[in-house]
Amino acid sequence: MAEESMEAELARFDERLKSIERMLVEVVASQKEASEGRRRGYEAQERTEREIIIINHRLGVVEKSVDAIRPTTAELEKVRDRVVFAGSMGRMLWGVGKALISAAAGAAAAYYSLTGKPPP
């Protein structure tokens, strides 16, 4: 009977060892998965970092291009202001010209109606 209990204890001990071994295998597998997940996370972080560096570089190029065309833009604004002023001045002169022509025509008509002869 003592032998049977010893064999039973050995069997239970063997089962416990197998259970511990299965748990260790599961722990190792989960650690491998965690390690793989961290590796993928680091790779994604590195890709994002490279993309940000590329975007910063492209933004710097755009800023330099904008700075390069800034004088042209300022000159264009000046020319636009001059054209607007010239248009306003032209409309004003055209109005003055029409008024002078109308006044001259009115004076000629008045001279003709008063004297009966065409103006000299």
Side-chain angles (χ1 to χ4, degrees), residues 30-46:
S30 68
Q31 284 181 344
K32 285 182 181 178
E33 289 176 15
S35 174
E36 182 66 23
R38 283 191 301 275
R39 184 186 63 77
R40 285 192 305 267
Y42 292 142
E43 287 174 353
Q45 183 180 2
E46 287 175 2

PDB file of all heavy atoms in Angstrom, residues 30-46:
ATOM      1  N   SER A  30       3.851  33.426 -25.427  1.00  0.00           N
ATOM      2  CA  SER A  30       3.293  34.775 -25.270  1.00  0.00           C
ATOM      3  C   SER A  30       4.406  35.816 -25.276  1.00  0.00           C
ATOM      4  O   SER A  30       4.227  36.914 -25.789  1.00  0.00           O
ATOM      5  CB  SER A  30       2.453  34.870 -24.005  1.00  0.00           C
ATOM      6  OG  SER A  30       3.267  34.769 -22.859  1.00  0.00           O
ATOM      7  N   GLN A  31       5.566  35.487 -24.739  1.00  0.00           N
ATOM      8  CA  GLN A  31       6.687  36.413 -24.776  1.00  0.00           C
ATOM      9  C   GLN A  31       7.171  36.611 -26.214  1.00  0.00           C
ATOM     10  O   GLN A  31       7.534  37.722 -26.603  1.00  0.00           O
ATOM     11  CB  GLN A  31       7.835  35.913 -23.892  1.00  0.00           C
ATOM     12  CG  GLN A  31       7.576  36.107 -22.419  1.00  0.00           C
ATOM     13  CD  GLN A  31       8.735  35.618 -21.563  1.00  0.00           C
ATOM     14  OE1 GLN A  31       9.598  34.886 -22.034  1.00  0.00           O
ATOM     15  NE2 GLN A  31       8.729  36.020 -20.301  1.00  0.00           N
ATOM     16  N   LYS A  32       7.165  35.539 -26.997  1.00  0.00           N
ATOM     17  CA  LYS A  32       7.542  35.669 -28.416  1.00  0.00           C
ATOM     18  C   LYS A  32       6.543  36.561 -29.144  1.00  0.00           C
ATOM     19  O   LYS A  32       6.929  37.408 -29.944  1.00  0.00           O
ATOM     20  CB  LYS A  32       7.615  34.301 -29.086  1.00  0.00           C
ATOM     21  CG  LYS A  32       8.830  33.509 -28.722  1.00  0.00           C
ATOM     22  CD  LYS A  32       8.858  32.173 -29.453  1.00  0.00           C
ATOM     23  CE  LYS A  32      10.069  31.357 -29.059  1.00  0.00           C
ATOM     24  NZ  LYS A  32      10.095  30.042 -29.728  1.00  0.00           N
ATOM     25  N   GLU A  33       5.251  36.368 -28.856  1.00  0.00           N
ATOM     26  CA  GLU A  33       4.229  37.208 -29.484  1.00  0.00           C
ATOM     27  C   GLU A  33       4.406  38.668 -29.068  1.00  0.00           C
ATOM     28  O   GLU A  33       4.286  39.571 -29.894  1.00  0.00           O
ATOM     29  CB  GLU A  33       2.832  36.722 -29.101  1.00  0.00           C
ATOM     30  CG  GLU A  33       2.432  35.420 -29.743  1.00  0.00           C
ATOM     31  CD  GLU A  33       1.072  34.941 -29.247  1.00  0.00           C
ATOM     32  OE1 GLU A  33       0.329  35.744 -28.639  1.00  0.00           O
ATOM     33  OE2 GLU A  33       0.777  33.765 -29.473  1.00  0.00           O
ATOM     34  N   ALA A  34       4.682  38.884 -27.788  1.00  0.00           N
ATOM     35  CA  ALA A  34       4.877  40.251 -27.299  1.00  0.00           C
ATOM     36  C   ALA A  34       6.103  40.873 -27.951  1.00  0.00           C
ATOM     37  O   ALA A  34       6.090  42.042 -28.356  1.00  0.00           O
ATOM     38  CB  ALA A  34       5.013  40.258 -25.778  1.00  0.00           C
ATOM     39  N   SER A  35       7.162  40.079 -28.059  1.00  0.00           N
ATOM     40  CA  SER A  35       8.377  40.569 -28.701  1.00  0.00           C
ATOM     41  C   SER A  35       8.112  40.923 -30.159  1.00  0.00           C
ATOM     42  O   SER A  35       8.564  41.965 -30.653  1.00  0.00           O
ATOM     43  CB  SER A  35       9.471  39.510 -28.609  1.00  0.00           C
ATOM     44  OG  SER A  35      10.611  39.899 -29.327  1.00  0.00           O
ATOM     45  N   GLU A  36       7.377  40.070 -30.844  1.00  0.00           N
ATOM     46  CA  GLU A  36       7.019  40.334 -32.249  1.00  0.00           C
ATOM     47  C   GLU A  36       6.160  41.589 -32.355  1.00  0.00           C
ATOM     48  O   GLU A  36       6.339  42.421 -33.249  1.00  0.00           O
ATOM     49  CB  GLU A  36       6.290  39.121 -32.832  1.00  0.00           C
ATOM     50  CG  GLU A  36       5.922  39.251 -34.283  1.00  0.00           C
ATOM     51  CD  GLU A  36       7.128  39.311 -35.204  1.00  0.00           C
ATOM     52  OE1 GLU A  36       8.219  38.833 -34.826  1.00  0.00           O
ATOM     53  OE2 GLU A  36       6.974  39.857 -36.307  1.00  0.00           O
ATOM     54  N   GLY A  37       5.216  41.760 -31.420  1.00  0.00           N
ATOM     55  CA  GLY A  37       4.371  42.949 -31.419  1.00  0.00           C
ATOM     56  C   GLY A  37       5.194  44.215 -31.198  1.00  0.00           C
ATOM     57  O   GLY A  37       4.977  45.239 -31.849  1.00  0.00           O
ATOM     58  N   ARG A  38       6.146  44.153 -30.258  1.00  0.00           N
ATOM     59  CA  ARG A  38       7.009  45.310 -30.023  1.00  0.00           C
ATOM     60  C   ARG A  38       7.853  45.611 -31.258  1.00  0.00           C
ATOM     61  O   ARG A  38       8.035  46.769 -31.625  1.00  0.00           O
ATOM     62  CB  ARG A  38       7.919  45.056 -28.811  1.00  0.00           C
ATOM     63  CG  ARG A  38       7.210  45.197 -27.483  1.00  0.00           C
ATOM     64  CD  ARG A  38       8.197  45.211 -26.323  1.00  0.00           C
ATOM     65  NE  ARG A  38       9.020  44.013 -26.246  1.00  0.00           N
ATOM     66  CZ  ARG A  38       8.684  42.873 -25.645  1.00  0.00           C
ATOM     67  NH1 ARG A  38       7.510  42.786 -25.054  1.00  0.00           N
ATOM     68  NH2 ARG A  38       9.512  41.842 -25.619  1.00  0.00           N
ATOM     69  N   ARG A  39       8.354  44.548 -31.898  1.00  0.00           N
ATOM     70  CA  ARG A  39       9.157  44.739 -33.111  1.00  0.00           C
ATOM     71  C   ARG A  39       8.333  45.433 -34.193  1.00  0.00           C
ATOM     72  O   ARG A  39       8.776  46.393 -34.819  1.00  0.00           O
ATOM     73  CB  ARG A  39       9.677  43.398 -33.636  1.00  0.00           C
ATOM     74  CG  ARG A  39      10.606  43.552 -34.846  1.00  0.00           C
ATOM     75  CD  ARG A  39      10.993  42.199 -35.439  1.00  0.00           C
ATOM     76  NE  ARG A  39       9.876  41.451 -35.955  1.00  0.00           N
ATOM     77  CZ  ARG A  39       9.266  41.701 -37.133  1.00  0.00           C
ATOM     78  NH1 ARG A  39       9.668  42.697 -37.881  1.00  0.00           N
ATOM     79  NH2 ARG A  39       8.263  40.958 -37.533  1.00  0.00           N
ATOM     80  N   ARG A  40       7.092  44.985 -34.392  1.00  0.00           N
ATOM     81  CA  ARG A  40       6.219  45.623 -35.389  1.00  0.00           C
ATOM     82  C   ARG A  40       5.927  47.069 -35.001  1.00  0.00           C
ATOM     83  O   ARG A  40       5.893  47.960 -35.851  1.00  0.00           O
ATOM     84  CB  ARG A  40       4.923  44.829 -35.540  1.00  0.00           C
ATOM     85  CG  ARG A  40       5.086  43.541 -36.311  1.00  0.00           C
ATOM     86  CD  ARG A  40       3.733  42.946 -36.694  1.00  0.00           C
ATOM     87  NE  ARG A  40       2.845  42.746 -35.556  1.00  0.00           N
ATOM     88  CZ  ARG A  40       2.728  41.621 -34.853  1.00  0.00           C
ATOM     89  NH1 ARG A  40       3.451  40.578 -35.173  1.00  0.00           N
ATOM     90  NH2 ARG A  40       1.893  41.539 -33.845  1.00  0.00           N
ATOM     91  N   GLY A  41       5.747  47.314 -33.693  1.00  0.00           N
ATOM     92  CA  GLY A  41       5.512  48.685 -33.223  1.00  0.00           C
ATOM     93  C   GLY A  41       6.713  49.582 -33.490  1.00  0.00           C
ATOM     94  O   GLY A  41       6.558  50.720 -33.943  1.00  0.00           O
ATOM     95  N   TYR A  42       7.912  49.063 -33.231  1.00  0.00           N
ATOM     96  CA  TYR A  42       9.123  49.848 -33.495  1.00  0.00           C
ATOM     97  C   TYR A  42       9.283  50.118 -34.988  1.00  0.00           C
ATOM     98  O   TYR A  42       9.660  51.218 -35.384  1.00  0.00           O
ATOM     99  CB  TYR A  42      10.367  49.117 -32.967  1.00  0.00           C
ATOM    100  CG  TYR A  42      10.437  49.033 -31.459  1.00  0.00           C
ATOM    101  CD1 TYR A  42      10.919  47.892 -30.829  1.00  0.00           C
ATOM    102  CD2 TYR A  42      10.026  50.090 -30.648  1.00  0.00           C
ATOM    103  CE1 TYR A  42      10.989  47.806 -29.448  1.00  0.00           C
ATOM    104  CE2 TYR A  42      10.092  50.010 -29.273  1.00  0.00           C
ATOM    105  CZ  TYR A  42      10.575  48.867 -28.676  1.00  0.00           C
ATOM    106  OH  TYR A  42      10.648  48.788 -27.307  1.00  0.00           O
ATOM    107  N   GLU A  43       8.981  49.104 -35.811  1.00  0.00           N
ATOM    108  CA  GLU A  43       9.085  49.299 -37.264  1.00  0.00           C
ATOM    109  C   GLU A  43       8.090  50.352 -37.738  1.00  0.00           C
ATOM    110  O   GLU A  43       8.428  51.210 -38.559  1.00  0.00           O
ATOM    111  CB  GLU A  43       8.855  47.979 -37.993  1.00  0.00           C
ATOM    112  CG  GLU A  43      10.004  47.003 -37.862  1.00  0.00           C
ATOM    113  CD  GLU A  43       9.695  45.638 -38.475  1.00  0.00           C
ATOM    114  OE1 GLU A  43       8.537  45.411 -38.894  1.00  0.00           O
ATOM    115  OE2 GLU A  43      10.616  44.807 -38.525  1.00  0.00           O
ATOM    116  N   ALA A  44       6.873  50.299 -37.213  1.00  0.00           N
ATOM    117  CA  ALA A  44       5.866  51.301 -37.591  1.00  0.00           C
ATOM    118  C   ALA A  44       6.306  52.690 -37.134  1.00  0.00           C
ATOM    119  O   ALA A  44       6.151  53.679 -37.872  1.00  0.00           O
ATOM    120  CB  ALA A  44       4.513  50.944 -36.980  1.00  0.00           C
ATOM    121  N   GLN A  45       6.885  52.774 -35.956  1.00  0.00           N
ATOM    122  CA  GLN A  45       7.367  54.057 -35.448  1.00  0.00           C
ATOM    123  C   GLN A  45       8.504  54.591 -36.328  1.00  0.00           C
ATOM    124  O   GLN A  45       8.547  55.787 -36.644  1.00  0.00           O
ATOM    125  CB  GLN A  45       7.850  53.886 -34.014  1.00  0.00           C
ATOM    126  CG  GLN A  45       8.309  55.160 -33.358  1.00  0.00           C
ATOM    127  CD  GLN A  45       8.771  54.917 -31.932  1.00  0.00           C
ATOM    128  OE1 GLN A  45       8.783  53.788 -31.448  1.00  0.00           O
ATOM    129  NE2 GLN A  45       9.154  55.984 -31.263  1.00  0.00           N
ATOM    130  N   GLU A  46       9.397  53.718 -36.752  1.00  0.00           N
ATOM    131  CA  GLU A  46      10.499  54.145 -37.622  1.00  0.00           C
ATOM    132  C   GLU A  46       9.975  54.606 -38.978  1.00  0.00           C
ATOM    133  O   GLU A  46      10.449  55.607 -39.528  1.00  0.00           O
ATOM    134  CB  GLU A  46      11.504  53.003 -37.798  1.00  0.00           C
ATOM    135  CG  GLU A  46      12.340  52.749 -36.561  1.00  0.00           C
ATOM    136  CD  GLU A  46      13.251  51.533 -36.703  1.00  0.00           C
ATOM    137  OE1 GLU A  46      13.252  50.911 -37.793  1.00  0.00           O
ATOM    138  OE2 GLU A  46      13.940  51.210 -35.730  1.00  0.00           O
TER     139      GLU A  46
END
